[in-house]
Amino acid sequence: MSPETFDIVFENIKKNIDSINVVVLYHGGEPLLNKNFAKIVRRIKDLGIPFVKSVSNGMLMNQSVIDDIIDSNLDVIEFSLDGDSSGTSDFVRRNCDYGKVVANVKALIDSKIAKKSDKPRVFISNTQFLSPEFPQAGQLLNSAIPKTPSYLLKEFSGKYAEEVSFKCTWAMRWPHIEIDEAIYGLYYHSPDEESKSYCDHTENTITVRWNGDIVACCYDLTSKEVLGNVNEDALEKIWNNDNYLNLRRSIDKKQFTELCNNCNVVKPAVYLTLKKAVVLD
């Protein structure tokens, strides 16, 4: 996001400060690519926003970036390490290096401890894949969230165990994202379940893309449902425009758009299985 577009977003946040409790500085890309990331966090926190969070692959952190993140007053940062082994994580997260990410996360924690800072809280986001053995998959899903993998518990033990929280989820099919069928399969969980007529994302969140486009929700990674642009209209005007109102009506009537029609939030859940065995540790 350019500084000019962020300034417009910032002024909109400031104008609507009483209605905004959470700001997530992330939408499918790598936030640390933005050299102004820490300054953006600081400006938003200085407005009095209670909770500011981001998600990173952790590859770009060096000591300078770490110091900036700690000093920015960021509340939470999540790092993505996926699957049930380090090899699976590197396989799924292309161009990432498990060892480097872990070293960078530990360096952040070491710096937090040295600075006696309680921010940011560090989470490891771990997406796990269902087994292609569908009966087993159903049993796993019925047990709710997956367990934290042993390789991560071992990696972040000792002093790091007190500083890291884990956020484990099953890999879902995201709307409009093409699936490589040579690697992934689909598991339809409870396909007879009724669709829902309510989506919290369109009622209580607003998502701004790098160019100022307002899209339907955080699942819209490729701008399939552009509802307006903050460079052209104020957030509150976009929030109440015909595009937004029609989207909400379509969900209420279960007359879903193409994006919503493949979304686990309102339709029966579809999960990913990992066909290709990855056994590297």
Side-chain angles (χ1 to χ4, degrees):
M1 181 177 288
S2 70
E4 294 76 17
T5 297
F6 174 72
D7 285 342
I8 294 172
V9 174
F10 178 83
E11 290 302 320
N12 274 273
I13 292 174
K14 185 177 179 180
K15 183 179 178 182
N16 295 280
I17 191 70
D18 292 338
S19 301
I20 299 174
N21 296 314
V22 176
V23 172
V24 180
L25 297 170
Y26 167 75
H27 188 240
E30 173 50 53
L32 298 184
L33 284 171
N34 190 326
K35 296 181 179 179
N36 295 314
F37 174 76
K39 293 179 181 178
I40 288 172
V41 174
R42 172 56 69 180
R43 287 182 66 184
I44 293 174
K45 285 300 296 181
D46 284 349
L47 281 178
I49 298 294
F51 186 83
V52 180
K53 164 188 166 181
S54 192
V55 182
S56 171
N57 64 23
M59 288 289 289
L60 296 179
M61 284 202 305
N62 54 36
Q63 193 58 51
S64 177
V65 172
I66 286 172
D67 290 339
D68 287 344
I69 289 174
I70 294 173
D71 294 341
S72 72
N73 205 26
L74 181 68
D75 293 289
V76 165
I77 187 165
E78 289 184 13
F79 297 101
S80 301
L81 294 169
D82 294 328
D84 57 5
S85 72
S86 59
T88 305
S89 187
D90 281 346
F91 175 76
V92 172
R93 306 200 64 80
R94 303 298 173 86
N95 299 319
C96 280
D97 183 296
Y98 170 82
K100 182 175 182 179
V101 174
V102 168
N104 289 346
V105 174
K106 288 181 177 179
L108 170 63
I109 294 171
D110 289 339
S111 293
K112 271 186 59 182
I113 294 173
K115 290 174 175 281
K116 297 181 180 180
S117 174
D118 60 351
K119 291 185 180 180
R121 291 174 58 202
V122 176
F123 281 75
I124 301 297
S125 177
N126 175 252
T127 299
Q128 297 181 32
F129 297 86
L130 292 170
S131 165
E133 300 172 4
F134 291 166
Q136 181 185 357
Q139 292 171 9
L140 289 169
L141 286 172
N142 290 334
S143 67
I145 62 173
K147 295 180 180 179
T148 304
S150 59
Y151 81 104
L152 291 177
L153 292 174
K154 181 179 179 181
E155 192 73 73
F156 295 98
S157 58
K159 66 176 180 179
Y160 300 110
E162 298 179 0
E163 298 288 338
V164 173
S165 299
F166 296 97
K167 180 181 176 183
C168 299
T169 56
W170 296 115
M172 301 186 305
R173 179 187 66 183
W174 279 53
H176 71 80
I177 299 299
E178 292 186 9
I179 302 298
D180 187 339
E181 295 182 359
I183 300 174
Y184 302 105
L186 298 178
Y187 176 66
Y188 294 80
H189 186 59
S190 302
D192 296 330
E193 179 184 348
E194 288 190 13
S195 300
K196 299 177 180 63
S197 59
Y198 175 80
C199 176
D200 183 72
H201 293 288
T202 61
E203 299 290 344
N204 292 306
T205 73
I206 192 164
T207 301
V208 188
R209 299 227 64 198
W210 64 274
N211 62 350
D213 279 346
I214 305 298
V215 294
C217 65
C218 59
Y219 291 107
D220 190 357
L221 298 178
T222 57
S223 301
K224 294 294 184 182
E225 292 275 355
V226 177
L227 306 172
N229 188 289
V230 75
N231 292 296
E232 300 170 3
D233 290 308
L235 280 182
E236 62 268 27
K237 183 175 180 180
I238 297 172
W239 182 252
N240 294 295
N241 69 14
D242 287 341
N243 292 335
Y244 242 123
L245 294 175
N246 289 335
L247 176 62
R248 296 187 187 110
R249 289 191 193 102
S250 72
I251 295 171
D252 181 61
K253 296 178 180 179
K254 298 185 182 181
Q255 298 173 348
F256 302 116
T257 65
E258 181 181 357
L259 180 74
C260 297
N261 199 46
N262 289 308
C263 180
N264 282 14
V265 174
V266 293
K267 298 298 290 289
V270 181
Y271 295 89
L272 295 184
T273 65
L274 190 59
K275 290 182 178 180
K276 186 169 183 177
V278 180
V279 295
L280 298 176
D281 293 322

